[in-house]
Amino acid sequence: MLTDRPDVAPDAQEAAALAASWNAHFANVGWLHLPSGGHGHLSLLEPLDVDTVPPGAALGRKIDASMPAGRDGAKLRQWMNETQMLFHAHPVNVAREEAGRPVINSLWFWGAGSLPVRADIPCMQLWADDPLAHGLAHAVGVRAAPLPDKTGVALQEGNLVLLQDALAPALYLDAAAWTQAVEALDRDWIAPALDALRRGDVQSVTVRLSGDEAAVAVTTERRDLWKFWRRPHPLTPGP
């Protein structure tokens, strides 16, 4: 099972030691950059034709159905197995086990490919705490910043806000934590966005929700607020 629990993530020294061992063992494959936190980048010497699954689609689930596939899928799976053997008796994991911390079993490879020549993103400013989102924004020339302390800073025309507080509870099937996270998102972001819409600070608000197999986008314009016959629905069913 794939996990991203905070106590699994390596610190800077652990990550550097693991990356050094990996690069020495896989010198004919490429170069691994692994900073603290456990999310790194692998620069391959040769491109791969492989279908991979992002961590967000595999976390909290058995990994059998999410393993790399495609023409070079077997090669990538072999690297994962070799990494598991390399890390098994690694001094970093020996120390972690002695300290009662979970060991780092392997690496999850995903996203093989090259940067697109050109891509479009429907915003002028991205607000997110996700490093991948920042990288994608940088690739297309869009400004990116961490989520602000004050919601109103991000609730302006042309701004895109990425909110992931409900992601981990959803992946780990924690209904209570998911409900709390969604209620917090509603209080801290959705309600202020509707207030901005009522004041005329913005002309429309679009909420995009993604799941394992599909996504839905809901757009509310100022004129929609006049539809008084619409009533909000609770997250939990009534008695």
Side-chain angles (χ1 to χ4, degrees), residues 120-189:
D120 295 322
I121 185 170
C123 73
M124 296 182 295
Q125 170 74 50
L126 170 71
W127 303 89
D129 290 335
D130 179 66
L132 175 59
H134 280 237
L136 293 174
H138 177 72
V140 297
V142 171
R143 299 189 305 269
L147 290 175
D149 294 331
K150 295 183 178 180
T151 302
V153 175
L155 298 179
Q156 303 176 36
E157 289 288 348
N159 281 235
L160 177 63
V161 182
L162 178 62
L163 304 171
Q164 297 180 300
D165 291 348
L167 177 59
L171 293 173
Y172 291 107
L173 305 179
D174 188 340
W178 179 87
T179 300
Q180 292 178 351
V182 172
E183 289 175 342
L185 291 174
D186 181 55
R187 178 189 67 244
D188 299 336
W189 289 97

Side-chain angles (χ1 to χ4, degrees), residues 15-184:
L18 292 173
S21 297
W22 198 95
N23 287 328
H25 182 82
F26 291 93
N28 63 330
V29 170
W31 182 80
L32 174 68
H33 172 65
L34 188 65
S36 61
H39 295 271
H41 302 275
L42 174 59
S43 178
L44 296 172
L45 297 178
E46 298 181 359
L48 292 179
D49 182 4
V50 62
D51 298 324
T52 57
V53 176
L59 288 172
R61 294 161 171 77
K62 293 184 177 180
I63 64 174
D64 297 352
S66 301
M67 294 293 284
R71 189 186 70 184
D72 295 324
K75 181 183 297 186
L76 208 53
R77 294 194 299 271
Q78 178 184 347
W79 295 350
M80 295 176 70
N81 290 335
E82 289 187 38
T83 301
Q84 186 173 7
M85 292 185 289
L86 179 67
F87 285 0
H88 176 68
H90 196 283
V92 166
N93 276 328
V94 172
R96 290 172 67 97
E97 193 168 20
E98 291 177 351
R101 300 168 62 201
V103 298
I104 300 172
N105 301 110
S106 187
L107 296 175
W108 186 260
F109 299 108
W110 71 281
S114 57
L115 287 175
V117 177
R118 183 179 182 276
D120 295 322
I121 185 170
C123 73
M124 296 182 295
Q125 170 74 50
L126 170 71
W127 303 89
D129 290 335
D130 179 66
L132 175 59
H134 280 237
L136 293 174
H138 177 72
V140 297
V142 171
R143 299 189 305 269
L147 290 175
D149 294 331
K150 295 183 178 180
T151 302
V153 175
L155 298 179
Q156 303 176 36
E157 289 288 348
N159 281 235
L160 177 63
V161 182
L162 178 62
L163 304 171
Q164 297 180 300
D165 291 348
L167 177 59
L171 293 173
Y172 291 107
L173 305 179
D174 188 340
W178 179 87
T179 300
Q180 292 178 351
V182 172
E183 289 175 342

Side-chain angles (χ1 to χ4, degrees), residues 183-207:
E183 289 175 342
L185 291 174
D186 181 55
R187 178 189 67 244
D188 299 336
W189 289 97
I190 304 301
L194 287 177
D195 288 341
L197 194 63
R198 293 187 182 97
R199 294 192 303 267
D201 296 343
V202 295
Q203 299 305 308
S204 66
V205 174
T206 298
V207 177

